[in-house]
Amino acid sequence: MKVITFTGPSGTGKSFRAISVAHQHGCDGIIDDGLLIEGTKILAGKSAKTEQNKVQAVKRAIFMEKDHCDEVKEAIQHSRISCLLVIGTSDKMAVTICKRLALPVPSEFVHIQDIATTREMKKARDTRIKEGKHIVPVPTIELKPHLSGVLVDLPHRLFGRNKKHKDLPEKSIVRPAFSYYGKISVTDYVVSDIVRIVVQKNKDVDRISAIKVRRPADTNKGMTIYLDLVLFFGAQIFEVVRQLQAKIKVKVEGMTSMPVRDINVSIKSLTVRSEKKEETIAAIPHES
């Protein structure tokens, strides 16, 4: 199977142009917002538009739920799709989707900036923000059994008729529930709380000295977490750190849908468990 990606910032018109891009590159299947689409049919998956908030929508779009991921993987294996168009907000997101669905490495990367003008992208963005309208590249009748969002109307009313591709399959516009809730942000304090809860469950950690979270301007590059710890004497330091790094990454990414690039752990000191202290004192002979 050949894989081509189509990427660009959220709300710039990717889904609106998805069918045209697929047609131009000979793709007979599309992965978009959690759905596997072949022609005018939804083969498998659940649309991210059905989610009640933006965080869950992102998790749905990158197939973080095992059942959802397995369903789409199986459908791909049993389909007749020979060339698949994978849509994402960045090349990294598209590659992540390919890895989760066990797809081949993309052979070509298409970007929205290459096929749409700044004015067109701004118009699409304004429609997304002001009216909460999202496009799904399948006919309305196909969407009804899959999508609980409000179906609005056909996209030509917003963008004008595209005579060049008038024979291509129909698209639909929906207004997902999360469009009404505005912007959702996760502060560094929330990330720190997640880290703190994960660490406190480890019996080899005495206490946390400090937690710092650093996020770059480009959020796609992932955050860095700095963690200072005091461990109990006798702990297998490298094993404890390795386990904490793995668990923190899974929990933070799973709960916030934000990538974690690095987790830097510093062991500041070792301490003796209170029980051991009492045993040590009891074992020391007293001078008469």
Side-chain angles (χ1 to χ4, degrees), residues 232-286:
F232 285 118
F233 179 78
Q236 300 296 316
I237 295 177
F238 287 102
E239 181 61 21
V240 171
V241 171
R242 186 190 66 79
Q243 290 180 3
L244 286 176
Q245 287 173 320
K247 290 180 179 179
I248 289 171
K249 180 177 176 65
V250 169
K251 286 297 183 182
V252 171
E253 291 186 340
M255 295 180 69
T256 68
S257 294
M258 297 186 297
V260 176
R261 185 182 63 184
D262 295 307
I263 302 173
N264 298 322
V265 181
S266 295
I267 306 303
K268 291 300 183 180
S269 63
L270 298 176
T271 185
V272 179
R273 297 179 192 273
S274 58
E275 296 83 2
K276 290 186 176 181
K277 286 182 178 181
E278 294 174 358
E279 292 173 2
T280 301
I281 293 173
I284 297 175
H286 295 279

Side-chain angles (χ1 to χ4, degrees), residues 60-129:
R60 178 68 61 187
I62 60 176
F63 300 93
M64 290 189 68
E65 301 289 341
K66 186 178 184 303
D67 291 345
H68 179 217
C69 183
D70 289 345
E71 176 196 343
V72 175
K73 285 169 66 176
E74 184 177 356
I76 292 173
Q77 292 172 0
H78 291 87
S79 73
R80 294 174 295 178
I81 297 173
S82 59
C83 185
L84 189 63
L85 184 70
V86 177
I87 301 176
T89 57
S90 67
D91 289 347
K92 182 178 179 180
M93 175 181 173
V95 170
T96 297
I97 292 172
C98 290
K99 289 180 179 178
R100 290 187 183 278
L101 296 178
L103 295 170
V105 176
S107 59
E108 185 177 352
F109 293 83
V110 181
H111 302 102
I112 186 69
Q113 296 89 342
D114 300 330
I115 62 174
T117 66
T118 302
R119 183 178 179 180
E120 289 172 332
M121 289 189 288
K122 184 179 184 302
K123 185 176 181 180
R125 182 68 175 168
D126 288 345
T127 300
R128 169 71 61 88
I129 294 174

Side-chain angles (χ1 to χ4, degrees), residues 2-17:
K2 182 180 179 182
V3 175
I4 296 173
T5 68
F6 180 33
T7 60
S10 178
T12 50
K14 296 187 301 299
S15 293
F16 173 72
R17 291 178 170 79

Side-chain angles (χ1 to χ4, degrees), residues 131-241:
E131 302 179 37
K133 293 181 178 179
H134 297 232
I135 290 178
V136 182
V138 290
T140 299
I141 191 171
E142 176 69 13
L143 268 182
K144 286 182 178 179
H146 298 268
L147 190 60
S148 60
V150 179
L151 296 169
V152 181
D153 55 7
L154 299 180
H156 62 72
R157 297 184 184 179
L158 285 176
F159 300 95
R161 294 185 182 275
N162 189 336
K163 296 180 180 179
K164 183 178 178 182
H165 299 293
K166 63 181 180 180
D167 296 327
L168 294 177
E170 177 188 324
K171 311 176 188 72
S172 301
I173 294 181
V174 300
R175 187 180 287 116
F178 60 76
S179 294
Y180 297 102
Y181 297 125
K183 182 179 179 181
I184 297 177
S185 61
V186 179
T187 69
D188 293 347
Y189 296 108
V190 173
V191 176
S192 296
D193 284 343
I194 296 172
V195 173
R196 185 172 288 105
I197 291 171
V198 171
V199 173
Q200 288 175 344
K201 291 182 178 180
N202 191 298
K203 59 182 179 61
D204 289 314
V205 177
D206 180 25
R207 64 182 181 274
I208 301 169
S209 300
I211 301 175
K212 294 181 181 179
V213 180
R214 294 288 181 266
R215 284 190 268 187
D218 182 358
T219 55
N220 290 324
K221 292 183 179 179
M223 72 180 80
T224 299
I225 299 172
Y226 298 89
L227 186 59
D228 294 347
L229 300 177
V230 176
L231 299 185
F232 285 118
F233 179 78
Q236 300 296 316
I237 295 177
F238 287 102
E239 181 61 21
V240 171
V241 171

